[in-house]
Amino acid sequence: MVDPPPVPPQPTPPEPSQLLELTDRERSILAFESQWWKRSGVKEQAIRELFDMSPSRYYQLLNALMDSPVAVRADPMLIKRLRKARAGRQRTRAAQRLGIELH
């Protein structure tokens, strides 16, 4: 008895941030992030109103967008600033878990 040939897996459609250009929502997120926010509560309320999503979901999308080469090409300075801020927060969290005080 001969086994049938294996069926190749269906390719998954690429995430929007992996396409050749940004979606309208991704461009809106970058434009929103280019503003400077002094208080997080004000920003979180604006996220709910402008994007109709929770801040948690917004930050998930933003983190994926920050890792997108398309976003880097669209606004390299903004992405660099956002990545630097993210790396700083990651260092702070890691230091807190280890009981290290950062200066």
Side-chain angles (χ1 to χ4, degrees):
M1 213 173 215
V2 177
D3 290 334
V7 176
Q10 295 295 320
T12 57
E15 292 292 318
S17 60
Q18 295 173 339
L19 298 174
L20 298 176
E21 64 180 57
L22 297 173
T23 65
D24 289 340
R25 180 169 70 173
E26 289 170 331
R27 280 191 292 278
S28 297
I29 289 173
L30 290 181
F32 184 75
E33 280 300 316
S34 67
Q35 301 174 36
W36 290 87
W37 297 91
K38 295 185 188 231
R39 295 178 297 174
S40 62
V42 174
K43 183 177 180 181
E44 291 177 359
Q45 184 60 34
I47 289 168
R48 286 186 183 94
E49 291 173 4
L50 292 173
F51 298 104
D52 193 31
M53 66 178 75
S54 71
S56 296
R57 179 65 183 142
Y58 171 84
Y59 287 114
Q60 289 172 343
L61 294 172
L62 177 61
N63 275 306
L65 189 56
M66 288 167 45
D67 295 328
S68 164
V70 178
V72 173
R73 286 192 302 273
D75 197 338
M77 295 305 293
L78 174 63
I79 298 300
K80 182 178 179 179
R81 176 174 64 84
L82 294 172
R83 285 178 175 175
K84 186 175 179 179
R86 177 175 65 182
R89 289 188 301 271
Q90 289 170 337
R91 276 192 302 278
T92 300
R93 281 193 302 272
Q96 287 173 345
R97 281 193 301 268
L98 297 172
I100 300 171
E101 184 176 326
L102 296 177
H103 298 290

